[in-house]
Amino acid sequence: MRGHIAKKGEKYYIVVDFDRDDNGGKRKQKWFSGYNRKKDAEKAMPDILSKLNNGTLIEPSKKTFGELMETWLDDKKTSVKYGTWTSYNWLVHRHIIPHLGKKKLTKLKPQDFHDFYHKTLLKTLAVGSIRKAHVIIMDALNRAVTWGDVSVNVASTVTLPKGKKMIFEVLDEHQLKLFLDAALNDQYYLAFELATSTGMRQSEILGTSWKDTDLKTKTISVRTAYTLDEEGYTLDDTKSDGSVRPIALFEDTVRLLTSEKEIRAKVIANNEFYKDSGLVVQTSVGTPVGPRLLMRHFYRILNQIRKEHPTFPKIRFHDLRHTHATLLLKAGVHPKIVQERLGHSSINITLDTYSHVLPNLQEAVLRGIGDSILGTRKEVAISTETPTLLN
């Protein structure tokens, strides 16, 4: 294997001649890059020859960034939940490919991604969504490194824009009672009560079966979720392994579930057209409840409340989960317990999400300990002697 410098037009190239034995008896040449100066080509040639010899040379890829992202999306479709994949698909086709897709992989620079995050996405997306786009891009470029398309992930050094955390609404104790009282006669009251008393996700509530509900031990085991796939909604595994968890139930929730189970048994026995799906929350004919149907009932209840209480918070269904966690933390429940009930993969997620509640918790804890770290309370001595006046 030998190398020499050749000029073509205004550029200089490194030309490598392979020995016939190295290439199965056939003569072969490879041309590398175009250098503006001959001395730049001469300087780069030893490194290229060395990498060719030991097999570590990564040749410039002809792929565009858009082609990489399409391949990445296809691969991801078989390794993540369909709902998660659709959010990836939206970010890739709505934002990433339209702005960066035509660039060659080898031409990408850190500044391309810096400008994309700070000047393009920040105008239209929340910081959380920009972080998600960055995670997608990082994973795709890391694969490109593994596949030998590029030698380095140029997005790894980019600093993401900072912004305010998403502010969610939670109900206080009085507002929560208003909501539950208004929902009491609704067909799906049980779903709303479970959301506020267990902190379960909507998909988990709609996917919970009676076989995973133990009224003797007063627990629900979260194992399945009613989630979206390519053919519609279906029962599937939970969001992640960390989402599989037991949740202890309040006494009121146990009584409600016991009553519902007894009523359900009578309906099944007396209605031959009832198609029991075995789920705790189901329609009047026994089939699973779709999220859209549940949301119609949810917003009907909220509209009913606002007619009498116009200042009632405009919450989402997911805010019932936030309400559950916030009220537990305010009541002094340890964040680790809250993490386990919510199914967060790490206590850091819980602490970060509900950090606005924690300062009040610190004050309450310190009051409980005492006047010092030793836990003692000092009595202030009040003197009964008449003070001496100095002239």
Side-chain angles (χ1 to χ4, degrees):
M1 184 188 301
R2 295 175 300 279
H4 65 276
I5 308 301
K7 187 176 182 182
K8 194 173 183 180
E10 298 297 320
K11 298 284 186 179
Y12 291 90
Y13 293 81
I14 298 170
V15 183
V16 177
D17 294 294
F18 290 86
D19 295 332
R20 292 181 183 275
D21 291 341
D22 293 338
N23 197 42
K26 297 179 181 179
R27 186 175 183 275
K28 183 181 178 182
Q29 279 188 337
K30 277 192 176 183
W31 290 56
F32 293 91
S33 301
Y35 297 87
N36 292 324
R37 300 183 302 177
K38 185 177 181 181
K39 64 179 182 180
D40 291 335
E42 290 173 337
K43 185 177 179 180
M45 185 167 64
D47 184 54
I48 288 178
L49 290 172
S50 174
K51 288 180 177 179
L52 278 171
N53 271 316
N54 57 35
T56 59
L57 181 70
I58 295 177
E59 297 186 47
S61 174
K62 295 181 181 179
K63 283 184 184 177
T64 64
F65 187 55
E67 290 171 337
L68 172 69
M69 293 311 307
E70 292 287 5
T71 303
W72 180 88
L73 261 182
D74 287 343
D75 289 343
K76 274 292 177 182
K77 200 167 187 178
T78 59
S79 60
V80 297
K81 299 283 186 183
Y82 182 74
T84 301
W85 184 85
T86 56
S87 68
Y88 291 167
N89 184 59
W90 179 79
L91 277 169
V92 168
H93 287 115
R94 177 68 178 82
H95 294 284
I96 297 175
I97 288 180
H99 290 97
L100 295 172
K102 292 182 180 179
K103 277 195 170 276
K104 295 287 186 181
L105 278 178
T106 53
K107 299 295 183 181
L108 286 169
K109 297 178 180 178
Q111 187 174 351
D112 293 324
F113 295 105
H114 179 276
D115 291 347
F116 179 53
Y117 299 146
H118 290 260
K119 297 180 181 180
T120 302
L121 292 188
L122 199 55
K123 294 176 182 178
T124 56
L125 293 182
V127 171
S129 296
I130 296 174
R131 290 195 189 102
K132 190 172 184 179
H134 179 62
V135 168
I136 290 172
I137 288 170
M138 284 289 293
D139 192 37
L141 286 175
N142 282 336
R143 290 192 178 198
V145 173
T146 302
W147 294 332
D149 290 323
V150 291
S151 58
V152 64
N153 182 343
V154 295
S156 61
T157 59
V158 177
T159 302
L160 296 177
K162 292 184 178 180
K164 295 180 180 179
K165 290 182 182 179
M166 183 192 72
I167 299 175
F168 49 80
E169 291 279 359
V170 295
L171 304 181
D172 60 26
E173 292 85 345
H174 172 68
Q175 292 166 337
L176 181 56
K177 187 175 187 308
L178 276 178
F179 172 78
L180 290 175
D181 286 347
L184 188 59
N185 295 320
D186 188 88
Q187 180 181 354
Y188 300 117
Y189 173 76
L190 181 55
F192 305 130
E193 202 281 338
L194 287 174
T196 59
S197 68
T198 67
M200 293 165 68
R201 300 175 179 91
Q202 182 196 84
S203 60
E204 295 170 343
I205 292 170
L206 298 181
T208 296
S209 64
W210 285 111
K211 67 181 181 181
D212 290 327
T213 305
D214 192 330
L215 299 180
K216 291 183 179 179
T217 61
K218 302 174 183 178
T219 58
I220 280 180
S221 296
V222 180
R223 303 179 192 276
T224 55
Y226 195 55
T227 57
L228 183 67
D229 66 11
E230 292 185 82
E231 298 180 359
Y233 283 89
T234 186
L235 290 171
D236 198 357
D237 296 335
T238 53
K239 184 178 179 182
S240 64
D241 291 341
S243 298
V244 178
R245 63 201 186 277
I247 299 178
L249 301 174
F250 289 102
E251 289 292 344
D252 280 355
T253 306
V254 173
R255 283 191 284 270
L256 179 64
L257 287 168
T258 301
S259 175
E260 179 65 26
K261 194 170 187 180
E262 291 172 353
I263 294 171
R264 187 79 54 80
K266 292 178 182 178
V267 172
I268 293 172
N270 297 318
N271 188 343
E272 60 179 308
F273 300 106
Y274 192 83
K275 301 176 182 179
D276 181 35
S277 59
L279 298 174
V280 172
V281 177
Q282 51 190 32
T283 66
S284 57
V285 294
T287 54
V289 176
R292 289 184 180 180
L293 174 59
L294 185 64
M295 286 305 93
R296 285 201 293 272
H297 284 253
F298 176 68
Y299 288 115
R300 187 183 304 153
I301 293 167
L302 292 182
N303 291 335
Q304 174 189 331
I305 295 172
R306 289 199 193 100
K307 287 180 181 178
E308 296 182 22
H309 306 275
T311 60
F312 193 85
K314 294 181 179 180
I315 60 171
R316 308 162 301 161
F317 187 91
H318 198 73
D319 291 330
L320 298 179
R321 173 175 163 88
H322 291 315
T323 295
H324 173 79
T326 301
L327 293 181
L328 287 184
L329 290 168
K330 284 174 65 178
V333 176
H334 195 284
K336 182 64 179 174
I337 302 299
V338 176
Q339 175 214 337
E340 292 172 353
R341 290 180 71 83
L342 297 181
H344 285 162
S345 58
S346 164
I347 194 171
N348 291 332
I349 296 175
T350 310
L351 295 174
D352 185 54
T353 304
Y354 303 104
S355 58
H356 61 288
V357 183
L358 299 180
N360 295 332
L361 294 181
Q362 289 190 41
E363 183 182 350
V365 169
L366 293 181
R367 285 201 307 269
I369 292 175
D371 294 330
S372 75
I373 191 63
L374 298 175
T376 56
R377 296 188 182 277
K378 296 180 180 179
E379 298 295 334
V380 179
I382 302 176
S383 176
T384 57
E385 296 181 2
T386 303
T388 302
L389 298 178
L390 298 176
N391 292 327

